[in-house]
Amino acid sequence: MMQCDSLQLQMAENQRLLQQVEKLEAELNFIKTREYMLTGLQGEKLIADMLNGIRTARNASYDMVVGSLKIEIKYSRLNIPNPKASTRRWSWTNVLGVSGNKDVDFIVLLGDVDDRFRDLYSVEKNSPFVVFIVHRKQIRDFVLSARGHLIQLVSKPSSKSKGSRLFRDHQFTISDLENMNFLSANVFSEFRGK
């Protein structure tokens, strides 16, 4: 009788584990078939590894914690807004959450490098990303919608564009990130020497 009960418990546990494996495989297939999600997750991992950050749960309101700082990481592919245009841009959506009131200290914006302008960016030779870091007090300066949904930036740096401040004041290299002290109260002024 005891052996029968033990066997039934093992079979129930096996069934539970098979269901869990099936669920995880479905989630993995979902991500694999949406390459942009996989790339975004890789960007999150890259930034978390460089800053020794702790990644949060998938449904948290921010992606990573460094010390007590809450950091959101957003990734954008290089988009062609108009098929006839030579212009390309990055579009980071829901930067302050769907409701526009996300509580973060910094947002890290990652974008695919536009090789046509690589020499105009602050990037390492082989870096696949352009990196911008914006403090929460400055995020709304770059958001296009009142609810905090969208930051768009043309990939060619220009002193005439609204986004020129992102290139001038908020662009960092991967090496910069590795050497940055996010726990400092004046992270930008100390790092930039301002």
Side-chain angles (χ1 to χ4, degrees), residues 22-119:
E22 187 176 305
K23 179 181 178 233
L24 291 172
E25 285 176 341
E27 287 179 9
L28 181 60
N29 285 333
F30 179 85
I31 291 171
K32 280 184 174 179
T33 59
R34 289 157 180 84
E35 184 181 326
Y36 65 92
M37 289 180 77
L38 186 58
T39 307
L41 292 172
Q42 289 170 340
E44 287 178 18
K45 182 173 178 1
L46 170 78
I47 299 298
D49 288 349
M50 284 190 304
L51 299 177
N52 294 315
I54 299 169
R55 293 173 72 189
T56 58
R58 190 173 65 194
N59 60 348
S61 63
Y62 45 89
D63 296 319
M64 178 178 64
V65 176
V66 176
S68 63
L69 297 175
K70 298 172 276 192
I71 299 173
E72 178 72 5
I73 302 164
K74 292 293 187 179
Y75 165 77
S76 176
R77 288 181 175 209
L78 200 54
N79 302 299
I80 301 172
N82 178 340
K84 296 180 182 179
S86 63
T87 307
R88 291 187 174 71
R89 71 176 176 210
W90 300 288
S91 296
W92 296 282
T93 58
N94 295 326
V95 293
L96 291 174
V98 175
S99 62
N101 60 1
K102 186 173 278 213
D103 179 30
V104 297
D105 295 299
F106 291 95
I107 291 185
V108 177
L109 303 172
L110 296 173
D112 292 338
V113 166
D114 186 338
D115 284 320
R116 300 173 303 163
F117 308 117
R118 180 179 284 277
D119 293 342

